[in-house]
Amino acid sequence: MTLRTTPTPTRSAGMHLRPAVAGVASAVLGVGIGQLVAVFAPGSAPFAVIGGALIDAAPAWAKDTAIAWFGTADKVALLVGIALVLVLLAAGVGLLEVRRPPVGAVIFGVLGIAVGALALTRANAGLLAWLPSVAAGAAAVVALRLLVRRLPPMAAVRHEEEGAPEPSRLDRRRFLVAAGVTTGIGVIATLFGEALRAGSTAISAVRDAIRLPAASSPAAAPPPDAAEDIPGLSPLITPNSDFYRIDTALIVPSVDPADWSLRIHGMVENEVVLTWDELLALPLIERAVTLSCVSNPVGGSLVGTAVWLGHPIRDLLARAHPLAGADMVLSRSIDGFTAGTPLTALTDERDALLAVGMNGEPLPLSHGFPVRMVVPGLYGYVSATKWVTDLEVTRFDRARAYWTDRGWAAEGPIKLQSRIDVPRAGRPVAAGATVIAGVAWLPGTGVSGVEVQIDDGAWLPATLAAQSGASASADIWAQWSLPWDATPGEHRIQCRAVDAHGRVQTGSEAPPAPDGASGWHSVRVSVDA
Ligand SMILES: Nc1nc2c(c(=O)[nH]1)N[C@H]1C(S)=C(S)[C@@H](COP(=O)(O)O)O[C@H]1N2
Ligand SMILES: [Mo]
């Protein structure tokens, strides 16, 4: 009944071509999603992971050959090579998925998980290094299943060869549109991811080229014997790479200092606008300050100490001259985050800083480059605005800041806290002479002592490290330690700090919301005989 006796070449080619197209389109989508998600896990884009692993695994002769063939384009050649292999593989995966579903989808899924696992083994891999590749695999699986659904199953294809009606022109057109859209989304996601990355790469380069001026008033240098050499105890100064990061920015803002300015306005006599060059020309002072997040639970790690370089906000506000009645400064970051800081905290003798440097470097991008606020004694959410561009002098009864709008307290003085760093809960301790050590802080006021209780024993005074206590800056945490002759069995260790006025840290427990956690940090350890 059919007029066609032999399948036309286009038709048989189409039978293999369309599954292959489905495979390739799904792979392009997956890779695009992976590259985009990698904006949140820098260095862990699927291509970067595979390329990096191949470079590391390649024997010297292969590297030499690659360089001999491609010169400085060797990395591009490698990426093109990976792309070609991926296209061939994806075409095969498409064919398999039509012939033996869900084998193709399973291969994509396994591939995503495998590259994700590989990503975790790479140097400098972050906790989320696996995410881009796993997202890529998942996206490819979903796309493949959806596209293949638009193709006749293999049985039908065979039927077709025996004369059953081939898919209509309309079906074929629909499939091609779906495959095209899938590919297009993948390409757009890739380009979008690259654009976002290019922004932060460019700003990183600008940052690397910056030489900050020396401080006119350097931070008091800790005495040479200051650093407590106890394994596991937090260092006095937290390295930038270990400093906790908390913000609402999904993508770290890329702010070019050349385009940066700060505007001070609102209830002021004179509006002040300050550029980056003007800021760097002002006297900069260096202060070590402990910063804490209000969300830090008792014993938590959302706290750290850095040496900040910046200009006192007090001096800038003096230029602007706040009007009588103003009691708050609403600081705003380039991405719209706001914090409400008591005007007094920015004008009193504590050195609230408009900071440009952190531990001897320009601020890292994720810590507010080029300019942020640091206010000793206040939780970050009410004071430490990163990427700050605007200070509005106002009143607490007129303006509400980002977290105040979400139920957190309008004012956020840091609470007196102490933490046991060693021994660590759950880690076995050997019986005999050991040490209990940690940190304690009340920035702005300072800590005069720490007491430790083992089981239900008496509270024992710990020793503060040389640079801590009365002689030290009140703005940074104190390291403390207590020798302990650990006896076999289970023990509970608790600590509590005493502030510079002799007030003892409260044992009454409060959760972080709405104004910071309280209570004593307590760890359970089991001591081996
Ligand atoms: N722009 C901006 N600045 C911000 C935040 C934010 O979400 N956006 N979070 C604040 C909070 S809640 C804290 S605890 C500190 C943390 O600073 P860090 O990430 O440098 O440790 O930044 C503060 N500054
Ligand atoms: Mo925070």
Side-chain angles (χ1 to χ4, degrees), residues 391-404:
L391 301 183
E392 182 186 350
V393 179
T394 177
R395 296 175 52 92
F396 274 99
D397 59 15
R398 284 188 200 160
R400 287 166 78 77
Y402 186 91
W403 287 113
T404 326

Side-chain angles (χ1 to χ4, degrees), residues 244-247 292-296 302 337 379-382 384 403 408:
Y244 81 93
R245 175 191 163 197
I246 291 286
D247 54 58
S292 171
C293 184
V294 68
S295 301
N296 193 36
L302 300 179
F337 169 86
Y379 286 121
Y381 82 107
V382 292
W403 287 113
W408 294 77

Side-chain angles (χ1 to χ4, degrees), residues 243-248 291 293 333 335 337 367 372 380-381 384-387:
F243 208 96
Y244 81 93
R245 175 191 163 197
I246 291 286
D247 54 58
T248 59
L291 202 67
C293 184
S333 72
D335 65 341
F337 169 86
H367 292 290
R372 74 173 304 169
Y381 82 107
T385 304
K386 306 190 272 190
W387 314 289

Side-chain angles (χ1 to χ4, degrees), residues 39-85:
V39 169
F40 309 114
S44 297
F47 265 61
V49 169
I50 299 173
L54 284 177
I55 290 173
D56 291 351
W61 62 261
K63 284 178 204 170
D64 294 345
T65 313
I67 293 169
W69 283 6
F70 303 109
T72 50
D74 58 341
K75 296 212 174 50
V76 177
L78 177 67
L79 293 180
V80 170
I82 297 171
L84 286 177
V85 171

